[in-house]
């Protein structure tokens, strides 16, 4: 077991790299999870500070003020130019509406438009303008139907807000569980740690006269390779066990009761094999630590950005997604996304999950074959 001990000794010297990336990984996971929870709150109408100058004082004008006040903070203002400019400058209001005298006859039954003032380049102006346009469209419809001013105001007050009921087709209640973010960033940890560790191990094995001494030793080459693979596999399984233990510790009840534990474990294990085989391929190619740093950063960060780890797949360009299909991390994230969206993995969803996991294993086998072929050529 001499080769096995050499592999483990070199890995022990680089344990700080593993710990560093574990800290980075858990920090990124917690940070993105907290951001997602804040942005995932229930949607509600935006409230904009709106100033109103009422020169009419009629029932129709009151109806418009009430309509705007349903979702906005309404402030009644005096028609004084300097004070209005100060209110806009200090952002006491973002939008000012002037209701002219004879509002019903001029604006609702007539063709005159409301005079408004807003802070240039803000979305709030478009938001309030859309609300006013909705009111005017309804009011003009009532006016064209022969409603009086009082009847129109009563009809507008009787209007109710639309109610939306979400139907849970996927069985996941439209929510993203916290552990899904954990598994989403797992490829970055696997690729970074294994590529660095395997790279340093293989560089250490090829350093100095050690390769000649290994070839001249009584230990057959086949056994040396098997011991090296055993050491690499042990390191990878240990990393996978730590990550699995962490998810059980942090999301114990939610994760175990999700009904998708087996699929998450299989998907992460397939990604582990991909990262291990790719790390072995990188270790065969790389001869210096500086080159290793550059290659590992390109592989880990490049794949994670292109394949939906750091940027959600929904935000990726279609051409980028097509190109990402030639990378194994894309298929891992595809499985993770399906497990996140669907509460039960059955039927066509189960078939897609199995196919994506199988594609990852094909990538792993391809990387192993490439590494063995290249190492044989070097030998």
């Amino acid at each position: 077991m001499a080769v096995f001990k050499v592999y483990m000794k070199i890995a022990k010297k680089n344990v700080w790299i593993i710990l560093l990336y574990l800290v980075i990984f858990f920090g990124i996971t917690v940070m993105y999870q907290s951001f997602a929870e804040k942005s995932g709150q229930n949607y509600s109408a935006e409230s904009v500070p709106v100033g109103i100058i009422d020169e009419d004082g009629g029932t129709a004008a009151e109806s418009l003020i009430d309509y705007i006040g349903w979702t906005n903070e309404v402030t009644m203002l005096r028609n004084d130019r300097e004070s209005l400019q100060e209110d806009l400058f200090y952002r006491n209001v973002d939008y000012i509406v002037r209701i002219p005298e004879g509002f019903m006859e001029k604006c609702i039954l007539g063709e005159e438009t409301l005079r408004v003032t807003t802070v240039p380049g803000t979305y709030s102006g478009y938001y309030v303008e859309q609300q006013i346009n909705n009111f005017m469209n309804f009011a003009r419809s009532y006016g064209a139907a022969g409603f009086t001013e009082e009847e129109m105001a009563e009809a507008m007050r009787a209007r109710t807000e639309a109610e939306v009921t979400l139907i849970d087709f996927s069985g996941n209640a439209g929510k993203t569980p916290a552990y899904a973010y954990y598994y989403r960033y797992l490829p970055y940890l696997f690729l970074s740690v294994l590529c660095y560790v395997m790279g340093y191990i293989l560089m250490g094995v090829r350093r100095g006269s050690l390769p000649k001494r290994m070839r001249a030793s009584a230990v057959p080459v086949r056994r040396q390779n098997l011991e090296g693979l055993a050491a690499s596999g042990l390191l990878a399984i240990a990393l996978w066990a730590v990550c699995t233990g962490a998810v059980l510790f942090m999301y114990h009840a939610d994760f175990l009761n999700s009904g998708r534990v087996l699929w998450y474990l299989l998907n992460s294990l397939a990604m582990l094999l991909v990262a291990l085989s790719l790390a072995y391929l990188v270790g065969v190619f790389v001869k210096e630590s500086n080159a290793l740093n550059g290659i590992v950063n390109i592989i880990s960060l490049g794949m994670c950005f292109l394949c939906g780890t750091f940027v959600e797949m929904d935000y990726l360009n279609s051409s980028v997604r097509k190109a990402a299909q030639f990378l194994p991390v894309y298929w891992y994230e595809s499985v993770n996304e399906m497990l996140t969206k669907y509460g039960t993995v059955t039927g066509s969803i189960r078939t897609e999950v199995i196919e994506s996991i199988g594609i990852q294993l094909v990538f792993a086998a391809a990387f192993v074959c490439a590494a063995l072929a290249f190492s044989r050529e070097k030998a």
Side-chain angles (χ1 to χ4, degrees):
M1 300 295 287
V3 177
F4 180 88
K5 292 180 180 179
V6 169
Y7 272 64
M8 298 305 295
K9 187 176 181 180
I10 298 175
K12 187 177 180 180
K13 289 184 178 180
N14 294 280
V15 67
W16 61 272
I17 296 179
I18 301 176
L19 297 177
L20 174 64
Y21 276 94
L22 283 172
V23 172
I24 293 173
F25 168 73
F26 289 121
I28 290 175
T29 302
V30 172
M31 179 181 66
Y32 275 93
Q33 180 182 329
S34 62
F35 288 162
E37 288 176 352
K38 290 179 181 178
S39 62
Q41 296 175 350
N42 293 330
Y43 290 101
S44 59
E46 183 72 15
S47 179
V48 177
V50 179
I52 297 179
I53 304 170
D54 185 9
E55 298 177 350
D56 181 73
T59 307
E62 292 179 1
S63 179
L64 174 59
I65 296 171
D66 292 339
Y67 188 86
I68 296 175
W70 282 357
T71 55
N72 301 292
E73 180 184 349
V74 172
T75 303
M76 305 304 298
L77 302 175
R78 296 181 296 106
N79 190 11
D80 180 72
R81 183 175 180 178
E82 292 185 359
S83 61
L84 295 177
Q85 289 176 342
E86 289 182 0
D87 287 329
L88 284 174
F89 180 81
Y90 291 109
R91 296 298 189 272
N92 296 329
V93 293
D94 289 347
Y95 198 89
I96 298 177
V97 183
R98 293 173 175 83
I99 303 177
E101 186 178 357
F103 172 62
M104 183 72 179
E105 293 75 16
K106 293 180 180 179
C107 299
I108 296 179
L109 301 179
E111 300 294 331
E112 186 174 328
T113 59
L114 289 173
R115 294 174 57 195
V116 298
T117 306
T118 183
V119 178
T122 59
Y123 77 92
S124 56
Y126 300 103
Y127 178 72
V128 179
E129 183 178 354
Q130 183 64 40
Q131 293 179 338
I132 294 175
N133 289 337
N134 289 338
F135 174 88
M136 297 301 294
N137 290 334
F138 286 126
R140 284 166 180 159
S141 298
Y142 293 135
F147 281 49
T148 64
E149 188 172 352
E150 289 73 15
E151 291 172 339
M152 184 272 295
E154 183 64 29
M156 293 300 300
R157 283 194 294 269
R159 297 190 63 86
T160 58
E161 296 183 2
E163 295 183 1
V164 178
T165 302
L166 296 177
I167 301 176
D168 185 14
F169 289 107
S170 65
N172 203 26
K175 297 180 180 179
T176 300
Y179 52 81
Y181 297 101
Y182 179 93
Y183 276 103
R184 178 178 165 185
Y185 305 112
L186 204 58
Y188 175 71
L189 176 66
F190 284 169
L191 290 171
S192 300
V193 170
L194 292 179
C195 285
Y196 269 118
V197 173
M198 290 302 300
Y200 282 116
I201 288 175
L202 293 177
M203 283 192 298
V205 169
R206 295 197 303 267
R207 186 171 299 165
S209 61
L210 186 58
K212 295 180 180 180
R213 292 166 57 189
M214 292 177 64
R215 286 196 295 267
S217 68
V219 180
V221 176
R222 182 177 180 181
R223 181 175 176 180
Q224 293 179 16
N225 293 332
L226 290 176
E227 289 185 14
L229 291 174
S232 303
L234 180 61
L235 292 172
I237 291 298
L239 177 62
W240 182 78
V242 170
C243 295
T244 303
V247 74
L248 291 174
F249 174 76
M250 292 188 296
Y251 313 106
H252 177 71
D254 292 339
F255 182 62
L256 292 178
N257 296 330
S258 65
R260 290 158 290 175
V261 175
L262 179 61
W263 295 111
Y264 275 111
L265 295 180
L266 288 176
N267 193 36
S268 62
L269 188 58
M271 187 65 237
L272 180 78
L273 295 177
V274 170
L276 181 61
S277 59
L278 184 58
Y280 189 79
L281 178 61
V282 170
V284 170
F285 275 98
V286 177
K287 297 181 180 180
E288 299 179 354
S289 59
N290 291 334
L292 178 64
N293 293 332
I295 291 176
V296 172
N297 286 332
I298 292 173
I299 290 175
S300 59
L301 294 176
M303 281 195 185
C304 290
F305 273 109
L306 291 174
C307 299
T309 301
F310 294 144
V311 181
E312 292 186 20
M313 287 189 178
D314 293 337
Y315 298 131
L316 295 177
N317 186 275
S318 59
S319 58
V320 174
R321 295 189 63 169
K322 289 180 181 179
Q325 293 180 13
F326 294 94
L327 301 173
V329 178
Y330 172 86
W331 300 101
Y332 170 86
E333 295 297 349
S334 296
V335 174
N336 195 47
E337 188 175 7
M338 285 187 283
L339 296 177
T340 301
K341 288 183 178 179
Y342 298 96
T344 55
V345 183
T346 56
S348 61
I349 302 301
R350 180 175 180 175
T351 303
E352 291 184 30
V353 169
I354 294 175
E355 289 177 352
S356 298
I357 293 176
I359 292 174
Q360 294 178 65
L361 297 178
V362 171
F363 271 106
F367 292 145
V368 170
C369 293
L372 293 177
F374 187 77
S375 61
R376 182 178 299 177
E377 289 293 330
K378 293 183 65 176

